[in-house]
Amino acid sequence: HEALAAMGDLVSKLVQKHGQKNKHILDGDITIRKRRKTEQRSKKELSDKRKAKKEIQEKGRAVGSSLDIVHERKLNKVATQGIIQLFNAVKQHQNEVNSNLKKVKTEAQKRKKYRLRLCVDTTA
């Protein structure tokens, strides 16, 4: 019980001595308080930097209207059709090459014919 009484006296003296000057009695020494303040500042600076970066990224963007949505759908449809045509052309070319290679019997002739086919197609 004496230890608790001594501890209570010590705490009451600290509160009386430092109570009016500093509200953070149990914070520790001044370096800890300074470190906390710098951490708070650095967090605020980081959030400010993030906000500035986001503003820069959002600068050129505009909110679309209902007319823009219709136009974007048309563009999307045209792009999709172009991609479909591209893949169909590739598939047709691969089928032609495979059918031509099936007609040739030896492996050396296949390589030669395939190279010639590639050279003809690139010049056309």
Side-chain angles (χ1 to χ4, degrees):
H1 294 295
E2 291 178 25
L4 290 175
M7 181 70 151
D9 291 339
L10 179 63
V11 170
S12 65
K13 285 181 184 178
L14 284 174
V15 170
Q16 288 175 358
K17 185 176 179 182
H18 298 291
Q20 289 80 20
K21 294 180 185 177
N22 192 356
K23 294 179 183 177
H24 305 285
I25 298 168
L26 301 176
D27 278 352
D29 63 347
I30 296 171
T31 57
I32 294 174
R33 282 186 238 136
K34 285 182 182 179
R35 189 179 319 136
R36 285 185 184 163
K37 285 182 182 180
T38 57
E39 287 174 0
Q40 289 174 351
R41 285 187 204 139
S42 64
K43 287 179 184 178
K44 187 174 182 179
E45 289 172 0
L46 283 174
S47 67
D48 291 341
K49 285 181 183 179
R50 286 186 194 124
K51 286 178 185 177
K53 186 177 179 181
K54 189 174 182 180
E55 287 175 5
I56 289 171
Q57 289 176 345
E58 298 286 329
K59 191 173 185 181
R61 296 185 182 176
V63 177
S65 67
S66 61
L67 297 176
D68 291 339
I69 293 172
V70 172
H71 183 67
E72 288 292 326
R73 283 185 187 156
K74 287 181 183 177
L75 291 176
N76 194 0
K77 186 176 180 180
V78 169
T80 304
Q81 288 173 351
I83 294 295
I84 290 170
Q85 288 178 354
L86 172 71
F87 283 122
N88 287 339
V90 169
K91 183 179 178 181
Q92 181 183 4
H93 174 73
Q94 288 174 344
N95 288 338
E96 287 176 8
V97 169
N98 287 336
S99 66
N100 288 338
L101 290 179
K102 285 181 183 177
K103 293 176 185 176
V104 179
K105 294 182 181 180
T106 64
E107 194 66 33
Q109 288 176 341
K110 284 183 181 181
R111 277 190 240 123
K112 185 177 179 183
K113 186 159 187 134
Y114 185 69
R115 285 187 192 140
L116 287 175
R117 174 77 177 161
L118 287 177
C119 293
V120 171
D121 283 349
T122 57
T123 57

